[in-house]
Amino acid sequence: EAAVTQSPRNKVAVTGGKVTLSCNQTNNHNNMYWYRQDTGHGLRLIHYSYGAGSTEKGDIPDGYKASRPSQENFSLILELATPSQTSVYFCASGVTGTSYEQYFGPGTRLTVL
Amino acid sequence: GDSVTQTEGLVTLTEGLPVMLNCTYQTIYSNPFLFWYVQHLNESPRLLLKSFTDNKRTEHQGFHATLHKSSSSFHLQKSSAQLSDSALYYCALRDNTNTGKLTFGDGTVLTVKP
């Protein structure tokens, strides 16, 4: 079974503060993704990476940065957090080929006050 | 760009009745790859089933779906709903590049009552 972990699981931040969400996968997958989940909007892609050292913008990258220092780790960074970034964030990893399945982490609930 | 539409935001059923959740998609590519993900309460999404073969039924865990390119649809069905089927269901379309990116629909919350 694929393993993706996220930390922290819950986070309360203040407006204007810096927030870093971390993701680790032990699947040796090349691709990793960050999504946010909001009621009525489904899962929206923020940033993704197809290998160590690479990051690409997803559909809603504004206000977020990403970092992929290694195959296993992929971070999402909010330099200046805003209340509109209050959400549940999911990290996922996946492989290309015939499967293309993505394996999701447990999620991080972020509240920005 | 690609898009996925799930017309029902909320579906409520009585146990034992059939389930059908709608999914249609738009893409310029001729070989779409469609997925259904399921997310139970306080859990993360996980793959339920997938298909890229036109007009072929794919099944998993009692659910089935058939990709119809002619109508750009990939509806999820089950013959008899169970209480444990209550969950959030997402339809997703794979990007046609090697990134494996998925475009998700807004999701359908299925509630099965006794």
Side-chain angles (χ1 to χ4, degrees):
Chain A
E1 179 74 19
V4 181
T5 57
Q6 294 181 231
S7 63
R9 295 293 313 278
N10 289 281
K11 173 74 176 179
V12 178
V14 296
T15 298
K18 182 177 180 178
V19 177
T20 300
L21 307 182
S22 300
C23 178
N24 178 273
Q25 56 106 352
T26 58
N27 311 314
N28 198 32
H29 289 163
N30 289 334
N31 298 342
M32 296 186 74
Y33 312 86
W34 275 107
Y35 297 91
R36 63 178 286 175
Q37 183 178 44
D38 304 285
T39 303
H41 291 282
L43 290 161
R44 293 181 289 174
L45 183 64
I46 305 169
H47 284 287
Y48 65 99
S49 167
Y50 45 81
S54 85
T55 60
E56 300 290 336
K57 294 180 179 179
D59 300 321
I60 54 164
D62 293 346
Y64 303 93
K65 292 183 179 179
S67 173
R68 181 87 182 270
S70 65
Q71 179 83 336
E72 298 78 21
N73 295 295
F74 190 37
S75 297
L76 185 68
I77 303 150
L78 291 67
E79 294 278 4
L80 295 169
T82 69
S84 65
Q85 294 175 313
T86 293
S87 186
V88 178
Y89 292 85
F90 285 99
C91 174
S93 73
V95 291
T96 55
T98 57
S99 173
Y100 287 99
E101 178 176 353
Q102 290 188 16
Y103 296 87
F104 286 80
T108 294
R109 184 174 296 277
L110 173 65
T111 303
V112 182
L113 301 176
Chain B
D2 293 345
S3 67
V4 175
T5 300
Q6 296 179 246
T7 52
E8 312 101 348
L10 177 64
V11 172
T12 302
L13 291 173
T14 300
E15 189 178 17
L17 292 182
V19 178
M20 181 164 173
L21 306 184
N22 292 317
C23 173
T24 57
Y25 63 90
Q26 286 190 325
T27 181
I28 62 172
Y29 300 105
S30 58
N31 294 309
F33 202 139
L34 275 294
F35 301 78
W36 277 101
Y37 278 79
V38 58
Q39 183 179 14
H40 286 93
L41 190 63
N42 296 324
E43 295 183 5
S44 54
R46 62 173 176 82
L47 180 67
L48 181 57
L49 46 78
K50 61 188 178 186
S51 179
F52 58 88
T53 306
D54 197 15
N55 297 318
K56 181 180 178 181
R57 174 170 163 149
T58 182
E59 300 188 36
H60 187 61
Q61 296 184 337
F63 287 90
H64 62 92
T66 303
L67 176 60
H68 291 295
K69 291 183 184 180
S70 60
S71 58
S72 298
S73 67
F74 190 56
H75 305 319
L76 183 68
Q77 299 182 69
K78 188 178 185 184
S79 59
S80 177
Q82 298 177 295
L83 297 177
S84 58
D85 295 331
S86 295
L88 173 58
Y89 292 82
Y90 286 111
C91 183
L93 170 67
R94 193 210 79 191
D95 183 274
N96 206 53
T97 67
N98 210 33
T99 63
K101 287 169 52 182
L102 296 176
T103 297
F104 287 86
D106 289 343
T108 298
V109 175
L110 174 65
T111 301
V112 181
K113 296 185 174 182

